[in-house]
Amino acid sequence: MSVHLLLGLQWGDEGKGKIVDYIAPQYEVVARFQGGPNAGHTLEFDGIKHVLHQIPSGIFRNDITNIIGNGVVLDPVVFKEEIEKLKDFKIDFSKNLFISKKTQLILPTHRLLDAASEAAKGKEKIGSTLKGIGPTYMDKTGRNGLRIGDILSAHFKEKYQLLVAKHKRLLQHYQFEYDLAALEPAFFEAIDFLKTFNLVESEYLINDALQAGKSILCEGAQGSLLDIDFGSYPFVTSSNTTAAGACTGLGIAPNRIEKVMGIFKAYCTRVGSGPFPTELFDDIGEQIRKEGNEFGATTGRPRRCGWLDLPALRYAVMLNGVTELFMMKADVLNSFEEIKVCTHYRLPNGEVTDQMPYCLIHEPIEPIYETLPGWQQSLDQVNSFEEIPAALSAYIQFIEEKVGVPIHLVSVGPDRTQTLHKTSVAASS
Ligand code: GDP
Ligand code: IMO
Ligand code: MG
């Protein structure tokens, strides 16, 4: 009986999909607790690359129950497309995929509102993925939303029309052209498709599984620095991406959580607008983007790249109660002679701090770096922690000391097999 969390500690895209797929065989349940189609989780194995948006990353492992929790916002059209992409993999969704009836539904008008709001913001735009995330969570907290359970109601169409009428009134406030009639047939087709899946009270499913002694992995989406409360507000997503989100997004009590695995890249990336203290605007940033293939899995946008930011990482570790760290994409730094790591910030008044300031937007901060030697070799032949080159070991140790949490896993490529896991730990977890 245990609940483990796997959470992104930066601005998303840390490699959560790869790792959930890798560690999933240790669990009986994999559950998504927040976010929606704004997420793009990449898995690679047997020479094939898969990108999942709303379906949990345990879906390719046999005998695992995958749950889309009540904290998620689900777009039925994207869901149908995702399922159809998986049709060659002989997955029995009737046995291994369950969706909470309390999951909020993304309507076509939520997507239109997202686009209209972003267009109206002009240069101040959030850089949203335009998947309707913000407007759907607004309707949830405004107590207007439609939930998956509603699609089973004989009055669903009326409920839909009522909410759409409200959205149309809101859209009138924007100068925004749209053609809702062109979007609705695919939406209603997807709603009928969704009805054929297991729509359940997932809080009971999860707590019954716990009662039966089963182990549960909660898969986070986005990252801690995009959290609605603790991220670089307002340049954030609209859900709690931090550990507490797993409790509210699944109905899991905090005292059930045994382990919090925090995942971060050996450097930093961000997609969309908002502050990014260690961002690189030079050839080095370009080289990281190229070596790391840093383009969004959902939108294809180039990701902004920069050095590792330890004050931000420590902040995320503190907020989530991280018990072990997983470092991703070490291979991307293979060719660098020197690697910089931001250890502190200098504030506009000259003060040096290792804490996250309240505002990073109007009062720009200067990152203070320490420079470490690069390992300057390929990691293709490195198959265990013991074989890690000395300079990479020193980089790992430096981070562990500064953050105060051990690194148990180092990822050296996108494939499932390109993963170095401390064997003593892997065996016991
Ligand atoms: P997620 O949203 O956290 O699941 O991450 P994404 O899938 O959006 O982005 C991570 C990207 O890095 C994907 O293209 C992965 O295939 C890739 N990736 C994951 N781990 C590694 C790694 O260790 N090295 C390299 N080079 N790529 C990796
Ligand atoms: P995964 O799960 C990276 C970013 C967007 C934008 C901001 C708000 O793949 O790590 P939203 O569509 O949520 O209103 O956008 O958050 N964003 C992500 N960035 N990875 C993600 O998910 C993201 N989901 C949202 O780029 O800046
Ligand atoms: Mg992603």
Side-chain angles (χ1 to χ4, degrees):
M1 181 204 78
S2 57
V3 178
H4 295 176
L5 312 187
L6 187 284
L7 306 168
L9 300 180
Q10 296 164 321
W11 282 285
D13 302 329
E14 296 87 352
K16 298 175 290 291
K18 167 178 168 165
I19 294 304
V20 170
D21 167 65
Y22 175 77
I23 60 175
Q26 298 170 32
Y27 299 90
E28 279 135 317
V29 177
V30 174
R32 267 282 299 272
F33 57 88
Q34 45 69 235
N38 50 350
H41 293 183
T42 314
L43 294 72
E44 264 188 61
F45 54 88
D46 301 340
I48 308 178
K49 178 172 162 174
H50 308 270
V51 181
L52 298 172
H53 301 286
Q54 307 175 115
I55 296 174
S57 302
I59 201 73
F60 293 102
R61 301 291 199 171
N62 288 335
D63 305 326
I64 288 184
T65 299
N66 290 272
I67 297 177
I68 298 178
N70 56 281
V72 171
V73 289
L74 186 123
D75 185 328
V77 179
V78 177
F79 177 77
K80 184 164 176 279
E81 283 166 8
E82 281 193 82
I83 296 284
E84 281 165 358
K85 275 200 190 135
L86 295 173
K87 70 175 183 310
D88 293 339
F89 295 91
K90 307 214 172 354
I91 299 167
D92 186 352
F93 296 110
S94 70
K95 290 216 174 65
N96 75 356
L97 183 61
F98 296 82
I99 307 169
S100 167
K101 282 188 195 164
K102 296 190 172 76
T103 300
Q104 295 278 325
L105 205 53
I106 302 180
L107 310 188
T109 41
H110 284 128
R111 275 186 276 140
L112 294 173
L113 282 165
D114 205 359
S117 158
E118 282 286 82
K121 283 191 168 136
K123 275 199 346 228
E124 305 299 313
K125 69 176 184 189
I126 308 293
S128 147
T129 58
L130 304 180
K131 301 292 177 189
I133 305 296
T136 308
Y137 277 117
M138 276 165 71
D139 271 338
K140 175 181 182 176
T141 52
R143 296 156 296 177
N144 297 307
L146 289 181
R147 301 184 293 176
I148 298 292
D150 290 322
I151 70 174
L152 304 174
S153 155
H155 304 290
F156 175 65
K157 279 244 163 98
E158 291 156 46
K159 292 181 185 199
Y160 170 84
Q161 292 302 351
L162 210 63
L163 187 52
V164 166
K166 179 182 158 248
H167 290 165
K168 282 182 176 166
R169 287 196 294 277
L170 287 172
L171 283 163
Q172 274 173 10
H173 294 287
Y174 298 100
Q175 282 172 336
F176 187 77
E177 302 260 319
Y178 63 92
D179 182 2
L180 180 58
L183 302 172
E184 283 184 328
F187 176 74
F188 285 110
E189 201 184 308
I191 290 288
D192 286 339
F193 181 75
L194 190 55
K195 280 184 196 161
T196 65
F197 286 78
N198 298 302
L199 311 181
V200 299
E201 276 77 23
S202 63
E203 61 274 34
Y204 280 108
L205 187 63
I206 286 190
N207 283 288
D208 288 349
L210 272 173
Q211 204 61 35
K214 294 185 177 166
S215 53
I216 295 172
L217 175 63
C218 305
E219 172 180 5
Q222 291 80 55
S224 298
L225 305 177
L226 288 171
D227 183 273
I228 182 75
D229 282 280
F230 298 106
S232 43
Y233 193 87
F235 298 98
V236 293
T237 191
S238 299
S239 63
N240 279 117
T241 58
T242 40
C247 298
T248 55
L250 291 168
I252 290 176
N255 61 355
R256 299 291 187 140
I257 297 169
E258 271 184 7
K259 186 151 113 175
V260 182
M261 297 168 277
I263 174 168
F264 70 102
K265 283 178 192 173
Y267 49 93
C268 278
T269 63
R270 172 164 203 166
V271 60
S273 328
F276 181 178
T278 62
E279 183 167 12
L280 292 162
F281 299 95
D282 56 8
D283 291 350
I284 298 177
E286 193 52 51
Q287 195 180 342
I288 295 178
R289 186 174 308 111
K290 197 162 142 268
E291 305 273 342
N293 191 23
E294 293 295 356
F295 296 88
T298 297
T299 59
R301 291 178 292 179
R303 295 178 183 144
R304 300 154 63 193
C305 298
W307 296 120
L308 185 63
D309 183 334
L310 289 181
L313 189 62
R314 261 197 307 268
Y315 184 61
V317 164
M318 173 186 83
L319 294 172
N320 292 303
V322 170
T323 52
E324 58 190 75
L325 288 167
F326 294 177
M327 186 171 85
M328 307 300 289
K329 304 191 91 159
D331 55 301
V332 173
L333 301 182
N334 282 353
S335 56
F336 289 84
E337 211 172 305
E338 289 185 331
I339 297 170
K340 288 191 179 184
V341 183
C342 167
T343 58
H344 294 81
Y345 303 136
R346 184 170 289 110
L347 304 178
N349 65 4
E351 188 193 327
V352 171
T353 179
D354 63 358
Q355 298 201 348
M356 291 296 282
Y358 166 69
C359 180
L360 292 169
I361 300 160
H362 304 298
E363 295 172 19
I365 51 168
E366 183 199 332
I368 299 175
Y369 291 107
E370 278 194 40
T371 303
L372 282 84
W375 41 98
Q376 292 192 275
Q377 67 171 82
S378 160
L379 300 174
D380 284 352
Q381 304 307 319
V382 176
N383 295 309
S384 69
F385 252 68
E386 290 66 39
E387 294 166 40
I388 288 176
L392 175 52
S393 274
Y395 189 63
I396 293 170
Q397 212 180 332
F398 181 83
I399 298 166
E400 289 181 328
E401 277 166 16
K402 297 283 182 195
V403 178
V405 177
I407 295 178
H408 281 175
L409 182 150
V410 176
S411 176
V412 294
D415 194 86
R416 223 184 230 176
T417 56
Q418 293 170 300
T419 313
L420 313 175
H421 206 170
K422 271 195 181 158
T423 42
S424 55
V425 175
S428 67
S429 54

